Amino acid sequence: MPSNQFTRRVKQARNIAILLTNVLIIALINSCSVLAPERSPLINVETILGQNKEFGEPFGLAHAAGVTYLSDGELGTVSMISANGVAQESGFDTPSGICIGSDGKAVVADSGRNAIYRLDPNPTIIAGGSRGNSDGDASSAGFNSPIGVACVGSTIFVADTYNDRIRVIENGKVRTLAGSVAGYLDGTEAKFDTPVGIAAWHDKLLVADTGNRRIRVVEADGRVWTLAGSGDGEMRDGSLLSASFVQPTAIAVDARGSIFIADGNSIRTIAGPVPVVRTLVGERRGLADGPRLNARFNRISGLAFDAKGDLLIADSENRLLRRLTSNAATQPLSPQAIAAMRATPSEFRAAAPGRWPYDPPTAKRDVAGTLGEIRGEITENSDPVWFHNGLDIAGAYGETARFVRDEKVLRPVAAENFNTLRELLRLPTLGYIHIRLGRDPGGKPLGDERFQFQTDASGKLVNVRVPRGSKFAAGEAIGTLNPMNHVHLVAGRSGAEMNALNALDLPGFSDTRAPVIEKVSVFDQNWAPVETVSDVLRIKNQVRIVVRSYDQVDGNAERRRLGVYKLGYQVLRKDGSPLFEPRWNISFERMPANEAVRFAYGSRSHSGATGETIFNYIVTNHVDGDEYGEGFLDTNEIGTGSFILRVFAADHSGNVTPKDIEIEVYQ
């Protein structure tokens, strides 16, 4: 047998042995937990706090002695929530993970200050305070935007996130327990990639290894092994190493030793005599209370169990403290309450002065794409299609792109898609796409230390991270335009994106050009075209109305076709009097769910970087923010006879284009 083949088989056998050993360890731990008290099933999700916009970004959670501790990375506060009300401690920069020490005091990782604090009762620094990775005396040790903390007795374990290390604070000293440089490796010389969440698990540590999309275990001696996750980045349940995570960020362990993981917008569990990974709640992004299988979240960042065994949840992008509970009698948030929690375009505009994402800041630029436009093409083969979620602002290849307002990075993984055409940076209220982050047109770093680059063994740049807590001011360089030659600017918080033409005050922008309606088509319920006789559409039963339309703004070249802001229809009598008021069924004031694309757009709709732009809007369907569904013009509400079908296309500036078609309703 060739030596390399023999070596490979030895490694395979060793890996299998390690896996079996670890499964036995987990099974033994679970069997030792059966004496823990039985807990009623967690069945419902309810909202506890945040409906009145009390929070900016709830993140870290801990609970002890009847008090829930909740960090807020945006406001720089830690709230203490009890039966007596809510007390708030300020003085932090970007507080993240929280744990409770043996003295009953909260320990907080402040990512923005590269430090670990104790609430005593005011914030008192325990370790760190400067960016670095040095061990030694706690007062001089360096951290790199640490996020996770776990308290075990008087010892504090820290997920030193952007140093890719697990650190230990004890007896006034800091030491590295595991990790070195970014990567993935088990054993005594382990590597992590952006570890965020950390929790004690019996005599071990659990780590949400976010960049590797895995759950890792750190033994007391620093040895590391992978508990769960294949690393491929999909949402997939199953056996420990075949299951997959999207972006695990927080971990909590219940009294029975079962593991709960915040994974993007979901909560996953590892439990059972033969442990498997299972999705417990929240497979899709959104905001909904109620039965756990119907509940939705938006970037879960913190988990903690309260004294009753209910799971507390920091729902960061929804800015809420929520709870997965065994209580069957909960009161879900109403749609009206959810709508009231969202910022309005006028509030968004008032938050900062307007500017363009280039210099000079007041020089008008060409608008090349708007929110709600289809991307891809609707065909019989069901090709992938999605909504465009921002505003495309044209620039020149290699031009410097700039921040349009002051903001602080809050997502642990804020920069994504390195060195692709969709490279991006997501901040709390704005996103920037199609940019070489922190680099010049040739790919060379600009020298801004907030952009932390990673290299491979040859020195080639392979990734960039922008740590949680990094601050940027309007006008500062974000990077340079890639070959897409525009900034795709996303306005609004993730999951609550709004039309940037409404939300941003862009100097010199004007729109006096009404949309163009190219064609109106009518189909029956089965999408068969309706017969036209002498230029009159003859309809009966239920019909669908499709409007081919596009928009332009002042300064657009004739070739530039933008999506329409609102569309609708009404029916009038022959004398022009309306049978009913206009039904504005399609609206792109806010970003719809991508599941609604095929409700908004009909066959052959297409737009993107190449090919003809065609927007065929199905105006009898309903698409407006979170709401969407199929609809028809029902001739039973009209009656037989001759009428006028009037369709409308409107832009965000209030310019409206009507188009009339004669129809005859028959039985």
Side-chain angles (χ1 to χ4, degrees):
M1 180 184 298
S3 61
N4 60 345
Q5 187 176 0
F6 175 78
T7 302
R8 186 167 60 251
R9 290 190 176 181
V10 168
K11 288 182 178 179
Q12 289 173 345
R14 183 177 62 193
N15 290 339
I16 292 172
I18 292 172
L19 175 60
L20 291 174
T21 300
N22 292 340
V23 170
L24 288 172
I25 290 171
I26 299 166
L28 178 61
I29 290 171
N30 287 338
S31 69
C32 293
S33 301
V34 297
L35 297 179
E38 287 288 345
R39 182 189 62 207
S40 299
L42 300 176
I43 56 173
N44 276 327
V45 172
E46 60 182 349
T47 297
I48 304 172
L49 277 175
Q51 304 96 312
N52 298 318
K53 302 181 183 179
E54 298 97 323
F55 303 125
E57 188 234 17
F59 190 92
L61 271 174
H63 183 89
V67 178
T68 296
Y69 298 82
L70 176 66
S71 68
D72 189 319
E74 184 169 314
L75 300 182
T77 60
V78 172
S79 296
M80 285 73 73
I81 304 159
S82 68
N84 297 324
V86 180
Q88 201 169 74
E89 184 63 51
S90 58
F92 296 97
D93 184 293
T94 312
S96 300
I98 305 177
C99 64
I100 308 300
S102 57
D103 58 2
K105 296 173 181 175
V107 173
V108 182
D110 192 334
S111 305
R113 292 203 179 120
N114 305 295
I116 310 301
Y117 284 83
R118 177 181 286 112
L119 279 177
D120 192 23
N122 299 319
T124 303
I125 195 165
I126 300 172
S130 61
R131 178 162 290 167
N133 61 5
S134 57
D135 289 337
D137 289 339
S139 59
S140 59
F143 294 88
N144 191 357
S145 298
I147 292 180
V149 287
C151 297
V152 180
S154 60
T155 301
I156 301 167
F157 296 91
V158 181
D160 192 1
T161 303
Y162 305 97
N163 277 330
D164 304 293
R165 301 180 182 193
I166 306 304
R167 316 282 291 282
V168 182
I169 305 172
E170 55 186 354
N171 302 320
K173 301 285 186 180
V174 175
R175 62 183 174 89
T176 298
L177 176 62
S180 53
V181 296
Y184 172 63
L185 183 66
D186 282 339
T188 57
E189 298 181 0
K191 294 180 181 180
F192 299 90
D193 185 346
T194 323
V196 172
I198 187 171
W201 186 50
H202 304 283
D203 61 343
K204 311 171 192 303
L205 290 174
L206 293 170
V207 178
D209 191 1
T210 306
N212 282 320
R213 301 182 176 95
R214 291 175 168 97
I215 306 303
R216 315 283 292 282
V217 177
V218 183
E219 301 281 0
D221 60 2
R223 182 173 60 88
V224 176
W225 48 278
T226 297
L227 171 62
S230 65
D232 64 21
E234 296 180 0
M235 173 73 73
R236 185 174 62 247
D237 291 347
S239 62
L240 293 178
L241 297 185
S242 67
S244 182
F245 296 90
V246 175
Q247 199 171 87
T249 54
I251 299 182
V253 180
D254 70 6
R256 300 175 62 81
S258 297
I259 302 165
F260 292 73
I261 302 151
D263 185 22
N265 309 313
S266 303
I267 299 173
R268 320 282 294 280
T269 65
I270 300 176
V274 179
V276 295
V277 176
R278 180 170 64 99
T279 300
L280 188 65
V281 62
E283 293 190 26
R284 293 170 54 197
R285 184 178 74 172
L287 173 53
D289 288 335
R292 66 174 179 83
L293 294 178
N294 299 328
R296 294 189 184 183
F297 298 88
N298 193 353
R299 185 165 71 86
I300 303 170
S301 298
L303 300 174
F305 283 95
D306 64 15
K308 292 173 53 182
D310 288 343
L311 183 62
L312 303 171
I313 302 161
D315 190 358
S316 292
E317 298 291 357
N318 285 326
R319 297 189 287 171
L320 296 171
L321 174 61
R322 303 173 74 189
R323 175 166 53 208
L324 178 58
T325 177
S326 58
N327 184 4
T330 59
Q331 184 64 45
L333 287 174
S334 67
Q336 294 77 17
I338 293 172
M341 289 159 46
R342 292 176 172 167
T344 65
S346 60
E347 290 172 334
F348 197 90
R349 284 196 304 273
R355 61 160 291 151
W356 295 87
Y358 308 104
D359 273 346
T362 59
K364 182 180 179 297
R365 295 297 185 110
D366 191 17
V367 172
T370 61
L371 183 142
E373 295 177 0
I374 189 174
R375 290 295 182 261
E377 182 174 5
I378 293 183
T379 66
E380 293 180 359
N381 298 324
S382 298
D383 290 343
V385 288
W386 61 96
F387 286 118
H388 187 255
N389 73 338
L391 182 71
D392 289 346
I393 303 174
Y397 174 77
E399 185 175 4
T400 298
R402 300 187 179 276
F403 292 94
V404 301
R405 62 174 60 180
D406 300 353
E407 281 205 275
K408 176 169 61 173
V409 173
L410 295 177
R411 289 189 179 198
V413 180
E416 298 186 60
N417 307 326
F418 181 76
N419 208 28
T420 70
L421 292 179
R422 287 194 56 79
E423 187 170 343
L424 64 90
L425 181 66
R426 191 56 160 102
L427 285 89
T429 67
L430 288 164
Y432 303 81
I433 308 178
H434 306 314
I435 298 170
R436 295 184 190 89
L437 298 175
R439 311 193 298 288
D440 68 14
K444 181 181 178 181
L446 296 174
D448 188 334
E449 294 183 352
R450 292 168 294 187
F451 295 91
Q452 299 185 8
F453 292 95
Q454 297 170 289
T455 59
D456 61 15
S458 69
K460 178 183 177 182
L461 298 181
V462 294
N463 193 28
V464 63
R465 296 185 295 196
V466 186
R468 176 175 166 84
S470 300
K471 301 176 187 67
F472 295 94
E476 287 191 298
I478 186 173
T480 55
L481 295 188
N482 68 24
M484 295 296 286
N485 298 333
H486 67 266
V487 172
H488 174 118
L489 192 62
V490 182
R493 295 181 182 272
S494 179
E497 295 89 349
M498 61 187 76
N499 196 304
L501 291 176
N502 286 343
L504 296 174
D505 180 15
L506 297 170
F509 177 85
S510 64
D511 182 8
T512 60
R513 304 173 68 173
V516 174
I517 295 177
E518 299 179 281
K519 182 180 180 181
V520 178
S521 304
V522 180
F523 302 84
D524 67 15
Q525 302 99 310
N526 300 315
W527 285 103
V530 169
E531 176 186 10
T532 301
V533 178
S534 300
D535 295 328
V536 176
L537 280 168
R538 302 186 72 244
I539 64 176
K540 64 178 180 177
N541 301 325
Q542 292 181 318
V543 297
R544 308 173 191 267
I545 304 169
V546 177
V547 177
R548 179 168 171 173
S549 181
Y550 66 89
D551 191 24
Q552 294 183 312
V553 300
D554 294 349
N556 273 158
E558 288 303 316
R559 62 178 175 81
R560 184 83 73 192
R561 296 191 171 193
L562 305 176
V564 180
Y565 181 59
K566 289 171 55 176
L567 299 104
Y569 73 95
Q570 71 176 146
V571 175
L572 303 94
R573 301 179 183 89
K574 290 293 287 184
D575 63 5
S577 60
L579 276 174
F580 51 80
E581 293 303 307
R583 296 171 176 172
W584 294 99
N585 285 343
I586 306 289
S587 172
F588 295 114
E589 181 178 349
R590 291 189 178 273
M591 178 67 180
N594 276 326
E595 292 84 359
V597 173
R598 294 177 183 275
F599 291 87
Y601 291 97
S603 178
R604 295 190 64 240
S605 292
H606 169 269
S607 73
T610 60
E612 184 181 11
T613 296
I614 299 172
F615 299 121
N616 287 321
Y617 298 97
I618 311 172
V619 299
T620 40
N621 286 348
H622 176 70
V623 177
D624 186 359
D626 296 334
E627 303 297 323
Y628 61 91
E630 189 174 46
F632 301 91
L633 169 58
D634 190 342
T635 60
N636 289 326
E637 67 175 318
I638 300 175
T640 59
S642 297
F643 301 91
I644 298 171
L645 170 65
R646 178 171 292 171
V647 298
F648 301 93
D651 63 27
H652 83 288
S653 297
N655 301 305
V656 180
T657 298
K659 186 176 181 65
D660 290 352
I661 296 173
E662 291 188 51
I663 61 173
E664 179 185 343
V665 180
Y666 70 100
Q667 296 297 327

